[in-house]
mmCIF file of all heavy atoms in Angstrom:
data_model
loop_
_atom_site.group_PDB
_atom_site.id
_atom_site.type_symbol
_atom_site.label_atom_id
_atom_site.label_comp_id
_atom_site.label_asym_id
_atom_site.label_seq_id
_atom_site.Cartn_x
_atom_site.Cartn_y
_atom_site.Cartn_z
ATOM 1 N N LEU A 114 26.674 122.291 -104.793
ATOM 2 C CA LEU A 114 27.561 123.148 -105.566
ATOM 3 C C LEU A 114 29.022 122.742 -105.413
ATOM 4 O O LEU A 114 29.860 123.089 -106.235
ATOM 5 C CB LEU A 114 27.403 124.602 -105.124
ATOM 6 C CG LEU A 114 26.120 125.321 -105.523
ATOM 7 C CD1 LEU A 114 26.060 126.695 -104.875
ATOM 8 C CD2 LEU A 114 26.025 125.453 -107.039
ATOM 9 N N ASN A 115 29.324 122.052 -104.307
ATOM 10 C CA ASN A 115 30.691 121.646 -103.999
ATOM 11 C C ASN A 115 31.579 122.858 -103.739
ATOM 12 O O ASN A 115 32.731 122.923 -104.196
ATOM 13 C CB ASN A 115 31.271 120.778 -105.112
ATOM 14 C CG ASN A 115 32.553 120.075 -104.691
ATOM 15 O OD1 ASN A 115 32.769 119.830 -103.514
ATOM 16 N ND2 ASN A 115 33.407 119.763 -105.650
ATOM 17 N N PHE A 116 31.047 123.836 -103.013
ATOM 18 C CA PHE A 116 31.803 125.015 -102.613
ATOM 19 C C PHE A 116 31.639 125.250 -101.121
ATOM 20 O O PHE A 116 30.573 124.975 -100.557
ATOM 21 C CB PHE A 116 31.319 126.263 -103.359
ATOM 22 C CG PHE A 116 31.959 126.463 -104.711
ATOM 23 C CD1 PHE A 116 31.266 126.136 -105.866
ATOM 24 C CD2 PHE A 116 33.238 126.980 -104.818
ATOM 25 C CE1 PHE A 116 31.835 126.330 -107.109
ATOM 26 C CE2 PHE A 116 33.822 127.176 -106.059
ATOM 27 C CZ PHE A 116 33.127 126.849 -107.211
ATOM 28 N N THR A 117 32.678 125.784 -100.501
ATOM 29 C CA THR A 117 32.662 126.161 -99.096
ATOM 30 C C THR A 117 33.039 127.629 -98.988
ATOM 31 O O THR A 117 34.027 128.067 -99.587
ATOM 32 C CB THR A 117 33.665 125.314 -98.284
ATOM 33 O OG1 THR A 117 33.352 123.929 -98.439
ATOM 34 C CG2 THR A 117 33.606 125.673 -96.806
ATOM 35 N N LEU A 118 32.266 128.388 -98.223
ATOM 36 C CA LEU A 118 32.463 129.828 -98.085
ATOM 37 C C LEU A 118 32.947 130.182 -96.681
ATOM 38 O O LEU A 118 32.363 129.750 -95.684
ATOM 39 C CB LEU A 118 31.146 130.568 -98.357
ATOM 40 C CG LEU A 118 31.142 132.086 -98.169
ATOM 41 C CD1 LEU A 118 31.938 132.771 -99.285
ATOM 42 C CD2 LEU A 118 29.707 132.617 -98.142
ATOM 43 N N VAL A 119 34.026 130.958 -96.599
ATOM 44 C CA VAL A 119 34.517 131.524 -95.337
ATOM 45 C C VAL A 119 34.989 132.948 -95.637
ATOM 46 O O VAL A 119 35.111 133.338 -96.795
ATOM 47 C CB VAL A 119 35.671 130.701 -94.730
ATOM 48 C CG1 VAL A 119 35.197 129.344 -94.267
ATOM 49 C CG2 VAL A 119 36.824 130.549 -95.722
ATOM 50 N N HIS A 120 35.283 133.692 -94.577
ATOM 51 C CA HIS A 120 35.813 135.038 -94.826
ATOM 52 C C HIS A 120 37.306 134.994 -95.114
ATOM 53 O O HIS A 120 37.774 135.576 -96.097
ATOM 54 C CB HIS A 120 35.555 135.964 -93.644
ATOM 55 C CG HIS A 120 36.189 137.316 -93.839
ATOM 56 N ND1 HIS A 120 35.776 138.175 -94.832
ATOM 57 C CD2 HIS A 120 37.229 137.927 -93.209
ATOM 58 C CE1 HIS A 120 36.525 139.271 -94.792
ATOM 59 N NE2 HIS A 120 37.420 139.144 -93.827
ATOM 60 N N ALA A 121 38.082 134.329 -94.250
ATOM 61 C CA ALA A 121 39.545 134.372 -94.386
ATOM 62 C C ALA A 121 40.149 133.035 -94.790
ATOM 63 O O ALA A 121 41.016 132.980 -95.661
ATOM 64 C CB ALA A 121 40.184 134.852 -93.082
ATOM 65 N N GLY A 122 39.737 131.952 -94.153
ATOM 66 C CA GLY A 122 40.317 130.654 -94.481
ATOM 67 C C GLY A 122 39.980 129.606 -93.442
ATOM 68 O O GLY A 122 39.196 129.850 -92.516
ATOM 69 N N ILE A 123 40.557 128.416 -93.616
ATOM 70 C CA ILE A 123 40.377 127.286 -92.695
ATOM 71 C C ILE A 123 41.768 126.781 -92.318
ATOM 72 O O ILE A 123 42.555 126.438 -93.200
ATOM 73 C CB ILE A 123 39.561 126.154 -93.344
ATOM 74 C CG1 ILE A 123 38.168 126.653 -93.755
ATOM 75 C CG2 ILE A 123 39.437 124.970 -92.387
ATOM 76 C CD1 ILE A 123 37.339 125.615 -94.497
ATOM 77 N N PRO A 124 42.090 126.724 -91.045
ATOM 78 C CA PRO A 124 43.431 126.282 -90.626
ATOM 79 C C PRO A 124 43.793 124.911 -91.181
ATOM 80 O O PRO A 124 42.950 124.019 -91.301
ATOM 81 C CB PRO A 124 43.323 126.254 -89.094
ATOM 82 C CG PRO A 124 42.297 127.285 -88.779
ATOM 83 C CD PRO A 124 41.284 127.164 -89.893
ATOM 84 N N ALA A 125 45.068 124.760 -91.486
ATOM 85 C CA ALA A 125 45.551 123.539 -92.135
ATOM 86 C C ALA A 125 45.452 122.314 -91.241
ATOM 87 O O ALA A 125 45.462 121.186 -91.730
ATOM 88 C CB ALA A 125 47.002 123.737 -92.573
ATOM 89 N N GLU A 126 45.354 122.518 -89.920
ATOM 90 C CA GLU A 126 45.304 121.372 -89.003
ATOM 91 C C GLU A 126 43.910 120.752 -88.916
ATOM 92 O O GLU A 126 43.752 119.643 -88.419
ATOM 93 C CB GLU A 126 45.722 121.800 -87.588
ATOM 94 C CG GLU A 126 47.139 122.344 -87.496
ATOM 95 C CD GLU A 126 47.181 123.843 -87.653
ATOM 96 O OE1 GLU A 126 46.220 124.424 -88.221
ATOM 97 O OE2 GLU A 126 48.175 124.443 -87.220
ATOM 98 N N TRP A 127 42.892 121.447 -89.395
ATOM 99 C CA TRP A 127 41.512 121.001 -89.197
ATOM 100 C C TRP A 127 41.004 120.151 -90.350
ATOM 101 O O TRP A 127 41.240 120.458 -91.517
ATOM 102 C CB TRP A 127 40.579 122.189 -89.052
ATOM 103 C CG TRP A 127 40.816 123.045 -87.858
ATOM 104 C CD1 TRP A 127 41.690 122.811 -86.833
ATOM 105 C CD2 TRP A 127 40.188 124.303 -87.576
ATOM 106 N NE1 TRP A 127 41.635 123.834 -85.926
ATOM 107 C CE2 TRP A 127 40.722 124.758 -86.342
ATOM 108 C CE3 TRP A 127 39.229 125.062 -88.228
ATOM 109 C CZ2 TRP A 127 40.315 125.965 -85.770
ATOM 110 C CZ3 TRP A 127 38.829 126.258 -87.659
ATOM 111 C CH2 TRP A 127 39.368 126.692 -86.440
ATOM 112 N N SER A 128 40.268 119.118 -89.995
ATOM 113 C CA SER A 128 39.491 118.392 -90.995
ATOM 114 C C SER A 128 38.218 119.196 -91.275
ATOM 115 O O SER A 128 37.903 120.160 -90.557
ATOM 116 C CB SER A 128 39.118 117.002 -90.470
ATOM 117 O OG SER A 128 38.202 117.115 -89.380
ATOM 118 N N PHE A 129 37.477 118.790 -92.279
ATOM 119 C CA PHE A 129 36.237 119.503 -92.605
ATOM 120 C C PHE A 129 35.240 119.407 -91.458
ATOM 121 O O PHE A 129 34.611 120.403 -91.082
ATOM 122 C CB PHE A 129 35.637 118.938 -93.888
ATOM 123 C CG PHE A 129 34.349 119.602 -94.296
ATOM 124 C CD1 PHE A 129 34.251 120.980 -94.330
ATOM 125 C CD2 PHE A 129 33.244 118.849 -94.644
ATOM 126 C CE1 PHE A 129 33.061 121.604 -94.712
ATOM 127 C CE2 PHE A 129 32.058 119.450 -95.023
ATOM 128 C CZ PHE A 129 31.975 120.834 -95.057
ATOM 129 N N SER A 130 35.095 118.228 -90.877
ATOM 130 C CA SER A 130 34.156 118.070 -89.767
ATOM 131 C C SER A 130 34.584 118.901 -88.563
ATOM 132 O O SER A 130 33.737 119.492 -87.866
ATOM 133 C CB SER A 130 34.032 116.593 -89.378
ATOM 134 O OG SER A 130 35.268 116.070 -88.932
ATOM 135 N N GLN A 131 35.881 118.991 -88.310
ATOM 136 C CA GLN A 131 36.366 119.836 -87.225
ATOM 137 C C GLN A 131 36.089 121.311 -87.518
ATOM 138 O O GLN A 131 35.696 122.069 -86.620
ATOM 139 C CB GLN A 131 37.859 119.619 -87.013
ATOM 140 C CG GLN A 131 38.215 118.310 -86.349
ATOM 141 C CD GLN A 131 39.720 118.103 -86.268
ATOM 142 O OE1 GLN A 131 40.459 118.441 -87.194
ATOM 143 N NE2 GLN A 131 40.183 117.557 -85.148
ATOM 144 N N ALA A 132 36.290 121.700 -88.765
ATOM 145 C CA ALA A 132 36.043 123.095 -89.135
ATOM 146 C C ALA A 132 34.596 123.485 -88.842
ATOM 147 O O ALA A 132 34.323 124.574 -88.322
ATOM 148 C CB ALA A 132 36.355 123.308 -90.611
ATOM 149 N N LEU A 133 33.664 122.618 -89.157
ATOM 150 C CA LEU A 133 32.255 122.895 -88.885
ATOM 151 C C LEU A 133 31.972 122.914 -87.386
ATOM 152 O O LEU A 133 31.258 123.794 -86.883
ATOM 153 C CB LEU A 133 31.373 121.850 -89.567
ATOM 154 C CG LEU A 133 31.411 121.802 -91.097
ATOM 155 C CD1 LEU A 133 30.530 120.663 -91.604
ATOM 156 C CD2 LEU A 133 30.961 123.125 -91.690
ATOM 157 N N THR A 134 32.537 121.939 -86.676
ATOM 158 C CA THR A 134 32.311 121.843 -85.228
ATOM 159 C C THR A 134 32.877 123.036 -84.488
ATOM 160 O O THR A 134 32.218 123.626 -83.620
ATOM 161 C CB THR A 134 32.930 120.546 -84.675
ATOM 162 O OG1 THR A 134 32.326 119.423 -85.315
ATOM 163 C CG2 THR A 134 32.714 120.441 -83.173
ATOM 164 N N PHE A 135 34.103 123.416 -84.832
ATOM 165 C CA PHE A 135 34.748 124.534 -84.142
ATOM 166 C C PHE A 135 34.038 125.850 -84.456
ATOM 167 O O PHE A 135 33.899 126.718 -83.585
ATOM 168 C CB PHE A 135 36.218 124.617 -84.521
ATOM 169 C CG PHE A 135 37.017 123.389 -84.151
ATOM 170 C CD1 PHE A 135 38.172 123.053 -84.831
ATOM 171 C CD2 PHE A 135 36.605 122.568 -83.111
ATOM 172 C CE1 PHE A 135 38.913 121.931 -84.488
ATOM 173 C CE2 PHE A 135 37.327 121.436 -82.757
ATOM 174 C CZ PHE A 135 38.483 121.121 -83.444
ATOM 175 N N ALA A 136 33.605 126.012 -85.702
ATOM 176 C CA ALA A 136 32.862 127.222 -86.058
ATOM 177 C C ALA A 136 31.589 127.326 -85.226
ATOM 178 O O ALA A 136 31.221 128.415 -84.759
ATOM 179 C CB ALA A 136 32.521 127.222 -87.538
ATOM 180 N N TYR A 137 30.931 126.199 -85.016
ATOM 181 C CA TYR A 137 29.686 126.201 -84.249
ATOM 182 C C TYR A 137 29.917 126.648 -82.807
ATOM 183 O O TYR A 137 29.037 127.272 -82.202
ATOM 184 C CB TYR A 137 29.048 124.818 -84.275
ATOM 185 C CG TYR A 137 27.760 124.763 -83.484
ATOM 186 C CD1 TYR A 137 26.590 125.337 -83.991
ATOM 187 C CD2 TYR A 137 27.711 124.160 -82.225
ATOM 188 C CE1 TYR A 137 25.414 125.307 -83.265
ATOM 189 C CE2 TYR A 137 26.534 124.131 -81.489
ATOM 190 C CZ TYR A 137 25.388 124.705 -82.021
ATOM 191 O OH TYR A 137 24.230 124.679 -81.288
ATOM 192 N N GLU A 138 31.083 126.353 -82.254
ATOM 193 C CA GLU A 138 31.380 126.789 -80.889
ATOM 194 C C GLU A 138 31.293 128.317 -80.782
ATOM 195 O O GLU A 138 30.719 128.859 -79.827
ATOM 196 C CB GLU A 138 32.768 126.312 -80.469
ATOM 197 C CG GLU A 138 32.890 124.809 -80.315
ATOM 198 C CD GLU A 138 34.284 124.394 -79.872
ATOM 199 O OE1 GLU A 138 34.958 125.193 -79.182
ATOM 200 O OE2 GLU A 138 34.714 123.275 -80.215
ATOM 201 N N VAL A 139 31.865 129.005 -81.760
ATOM 202 C CA VAL A 139 31.822 130.464 -81.762
ATOM 203 C C VAL A 139 30.428 130.961 -82.116
ATOM 204 O O VAL A 139 29.901 131.901 -81.493
ATOM 205 C CB VAL A 139 32.864 131.037 -82.740
ATOM 206 C CG1 VAL A 139 32.716 132.549 -82.874
ATOM 207 C CG2 VAL A 139 34.270 130.689 -82.280
ATOM 208 N N GLU A 140 29.820 130.345 -83.121
ATOM 209 C CA GLU A 140 28.478 130.760 -83.531
ATOM 210 C C GLU A 140 27.488 130.632 -82.384
ATOM 211 O O GLU A 140 26.622 131.499 -82.193
ATOM 212 C CB GLU A 140 28.033 129.914 -84.725
ATOM 213 C CG GLU A 140 28.834 130.162 -85.982
ATOM 214 C CD GLU A 140 28.716 129.043 -86.996
ATOM 215 O OE1 GLU A 140 27.909 128.109 -86.777
ATOM 216 O OE2 GLU A 140 29.427 129.092 -88.015
ATOM 217 N N SER A 141 27.625 129.569 -81.611
ATOM 218 C CA SER A 141 26.745 129.362 -80.462
ATOM 219 C C SER A 141 26.961 130.448 -79.415
ATOM 220 O O SER A 141 26.001 130.985 -78.850
ATOM 221 C CB SER A 141 26.999 127.982 -79.859
ATOM 222 O OG SER A 141 26.189 127.769 -78.712
ATOM 223 N N ALA A 142 28.230 130.782 -79.163
ATOM 224 C CA ALA A 142 28.535 131.822 -78.178
ATOM 225 C C ALA A 142 27.978 133.174 -78.610
ATOM 226 O O ALA A 142 27.457 133.934 -77.785
ATOM 227 C CB ALA A 142 30.045 131.909 -77.967
ATOM 228 N N LEU A 143 28.057 133.487 -79.899
ATOM 229 C CA LEU A 143 27.562 134.770 -80.394
ATOM 230 C C LEU A 143 26.044 134.851 -80.370
ATOM 231 O O LEU A 143 25.474 135.947 -80.296
ATOM 232 C CB LEU A 143 28.062 135.013 -81.815
ATOM 233 C CG LEU A 143 29.512 135.473 -81.965
ATOM 234 C CD1 LEU A 143 29.904 135.518 -83.433
ATOM 235 C CD2 LEU A 143 29.709 136.840 -81.323
ATOM 236 N N SER A 144 25.378 133.732 -80.448
ATOM 237 C CA SER A 144 23.908 133.738 -80.482
ATOM 238 C C SER A 144 23.286 133.794 -79.092
ATOM 239 O O SER A 144 22.087 134.010 -78.962
ATOM 240 C CB SER A 144 23.392 132.498 -81.222
ATOM 241 O OG SER A 144 23.688 131.315 -80.490
ATOM 242 N N GLN A 145 24.110 133.611 -78.052
ATOM 243 C CA GLN A 145 23.600 133.637 -76.683
ATOM 244 C C GLN A 145 23.417 135.069 -76.190
ATOM 245 O O GLN A 145 23.995 136.012 -76.719
ATOM 246 C CB GLN A 145 24.564 132.896 -75.757
ATOM 247 C CG GLN A 145 24.854 131.457 -76.141
ATOM 248 C CD GLN A 145 23.632 130.565 -76.050
ATOM 249 O OE1 GLN A 145 22.806 130.726 -75.158
ATOM 250 N NE2 GLN A 145 23.521 129.620 -76.971
ATOM 251 N N ASP A 146 22.611 135.209 -75.107
ATOM 252 C CA ASP A 146 22.375 136.537 -74.537
ATOM 253 C C ASP A 146 23.646 137.158 -73.984
ATOM 254 O O ASP A 146 23.788 138.388 -73.951
ATOM 255 C CB ASP A 146 21.314 136.453 -73.430
ATOM 256 C CG ASP A 146 19.925 136.144 -73.982
ATOM 257 O OD1 ASP A 146 19.697 136.393 -75.187
ATOM 258 O OD2 ASP A 146 19.071 135.663 -73.215
ATOM 259 N N ASN A 147 24.580 136.321 -73.539
ATOM 260 C CA ASN A 147 25.840 136.837 -72.975
ATOM 261 C C ASN A 147 26.953 136.868 -74.012
ATOM 262 O O ASN A 147 28.131 136.716 -73.689
ATOM 263 C CB ASN A 147 26.262 135.996 -71.772
ATOM 264 C CG ASN A 147 26.555 134.541 -72.136
ATOM 265 O OD1 ASN A 147 26.145 134.073 -73.199
ATOM 266 N ND2 ASN A 147 27.261 133.833 -71.270
ATOM 267 N N TYR A 148 26.599 137.086 -75.270
ATOM 268 C CA TYR A 148 27.575 137.068 -76.363
ATOM 269 C C TYR A 148 28.678 138.114 -76.185
ATOM 270 O O TYR A 148 29.793 137.956 -76.691
ATOM 271 C CB TYR A 148 26.878 137.308 -77.700
ATOM 272 C CG TYR A 148 26.353 138.715 -77.876
ATOM 273 C CD1 TYR A 148 27.110 139.692 -78.504
ATOM 274 C CD2 TYR A 148 25.105 139.082 -77.389
ATOM 275 C CE1 TYR A 148 26.640 140.980 -78.663
ATOM 276 C CE2 TYR A 148 24.618 140.371 -77.535
ATOM 277 C CZ TYR A 148 25.383 141.311 -78.174
ATOM 278 O OH TYR A 148 24.908 142.588 -78.313
ATOM 279 N N ALA A 149 28.381 139.194 -75.457
ATOM 280 C CA ALA A 149 29.372 140.259 -75.291
ATOM 281 C C ALA A 149 30.628 139.755 -74.597
ATOM 282 O O ALA A 149 31.715 140.325 -74.781
ATOM 283 C CB ALA A 149 28.770 141.423 -74.505
ATOM 284 N N ALA A 150 30.505 138.680 -73.802
ATOM 285 C CA ALA A 150 31.687 138.140 -73.116
ATOM 286 C C ALA A 150 32.729 137.669 -74.124
ATOM 287 O O ALA A 150 33.934 137.831 -73.906
ATOM 288 C CB ALA A 150 31.276 137.000 -72.194
ATOM 289 N N LEU A 151 32.280 137.083 -75.228
ATOM 290 C CA LEU A 151 33.215 136.651 -76.271
ATOM 291 C C LEU A 151 33.920 137.849 -76.882
ATOM 292 O O LEU A 151 35.151 137.836 -77.072
ATOM 293 C CB LEU A 151 32.464 135.873 -77.356
ATOM 294 C CG LEU A 151 33.275 135.510 -78.609
ATOM 295 C CD1 LEU A 151 34.416 134.569 -78.257
ATOM 296 C CD2 LEU A 151 32.380 134.891 -79.676
ATOM 297 N N LEU A 152 33.175 138.892 -77.167
ATOM 298 C CA LEU A 152 33.757 140.085 -77.769
ATOM 299 C C LEU A 152 34.706 140.790 -76.798
ATOM 300 O O LEU A 152 35.748 141.302 -77.203
ATOM 301 C CB LEU A 152 32.638 141.040 -78.192
ATOM 302 C CG LEU A 152 31.633 140.486 -79.203
ATOM 303 C CD1 LEU A 152 30.479 141.463 -79.386
ATOM 304 C CD2 LEU A 152 32.300 140.184 -80.537
ATOM 305 N N GLU A 153 34.351 140.786 -75.520
ATOM 306 C CA GLU A 153 35.166 141.451 -74.511
ATOM 307 C C GLU A 153 36.500 140.752 -74.304
ATOM 308 O O GLU A 153 37.507 141.389 -73.985
ATOM 309 C CB GLU A 153 34.404 141.505 -73.190
ATOM 310 C CG GLU A 153 35.103 142.297 -72.096
ATOM 311 C CD GLU A 153 34.270 142.412 -70.840
ATOM 312 O OE1 GLU A 153 33.231 141.722 -70.750
ATOM 313 O OE2 GLU A 153 34.656 143.192 -69.951
ATOM 314 N N ASN A 154 36.519 139.452 -74.502
ATOM 315 C CA ASN A 154 37.732 138.669 -74.253
ATOM 316 C C ASN A 154 38.492 138.326 -75.529
ATOM 317 O O ASN A 154 39.357 137.449 -75.518
ATOM 318 C CB ASN A 154 37.373 137.378 -73.512
ATOM 319 C CG ASN A 154 37.014 137.635 -72.063
ATOM 320 O OD1 ASN A 154 37.877 137.784 -71.211
ATOM 321 N ND2 ASN A 154 35.707 137.699 -71.791
ATOM 322 N N ARG A 155 38.197 139.027 -76.609
ATOM 323 C CA ARG A 155 38.908 138.770 -77.858
ATOM 324 C C ARG A 155 40.351 139.238 -77.771
ATOM 325 O O ARG A 155 40.677 140.205 -77.096
ATOM 326 C CB ARG A 155 38.223 139.480 -79.025
ATOM 327 C CG ARG A 155 36.965 138.801 -79.533
ATOM 328 C CD ARG A 155 36.496 139.442 -80.814
ATOM 329 N NE ARG A 155 37.450 139.197 -81.885
ATOM 330 C CZ ARG A 155 37.561 139.984 -82.963
ATOM 331 N NH1 ARG A 155 36.821 141.051 -83.088
ATOM 332 N NH2 ARG A 155 38.447 139.683 -83.904
ATOM 333 N N GLY A 156 41.208 138.534 -78.486
ATOM 334 C CA GLY A 156 42.619 138.884 -78.555
ATOM 335 C C GLY A 156 43.302 138.048 -79.613
ATOM 336 O O GLY A 156 42.722 137.089 -80.128
ATOM 337 N N GLN A 157 44.532 138.403 -79.955
ATOM 338 C CA GLN A 157 45.275 137.695 -80.995
ATOM 339 C C GLN A 157 46.505 136.986 -80.445
ATOM 340 O O GLN A 157 47.428 136.665 -81.174
ATOM 341 C CB GLN A 157 45.685 138.681 -82.089
ATOM 342 C CG GLN A 157 44.511 139.320 -82.807
ATOM 343 C CD GLN A 157 44.939 140.313 -83.869
ATOM 344 O OE1 GLN A 157 46.092 140.343 -84.271
ATOM 345 N NE2 GLN A 157 44.009 141.134 -84.308
ATOM 346 N N GLY A 158 46.493 136.738 -79.141
ATOM 347 C CA GLY A 158 47.658 136.118 -78.521
ATOM 348 C C GLY A 158 47.860 134.669 -78.902
ATOM 349 O O GLY A 158 48.990 134.166 -78.878
ATOM 350 N N GLN A 159 46.783 133.974 -79.275
ATOM 351 C CA GLN A 159 46.883 132.562 -79.631
ATOM 352 C C GLN A 159 47.013 132.423 -81.139
ATOM 353 O O GLN A 159 46.039 132.583 -81.868
ATOM 354 C CB GLN A 159 45.657 131.791 -79.116
ATOM 355 C CG GLN A 159 45.768 130.289 -79.244
ATOM 356 C CD GLN A 159 46.911 129.727 -78.417
ATOM 357 O OE1 GLN A 159 47.122 130.126 -77.273
ATOM 358 N NE2 GLN A 159 47.650 128.799 -78.994
#
Side-chain angles (χ1 to χ4, degrees):
L114 288 174
N115 193 26
F116 275 102
T117 303
L118 176 71
V119 292
H120 175 65
I123 300 176
E126 299 92 339
W127 296 354
S128 67
F129 179 48
S130 62
Q131 286 175 321
L133 296 177
T134 300
F135 299 155
Y137 179 75
E138 293 181 29
V139 173
E140 293 161 6
S141 178
L143 282 174
S144 67
Q145 303 295 323
D146 291 339
N147 63 342
Y148 70 93
L151 172 64
L152 301 172
E153 186 176 10
N154 287 279
R155 283 189 67 204
Q157 297 179 15
Q159 189 63 43

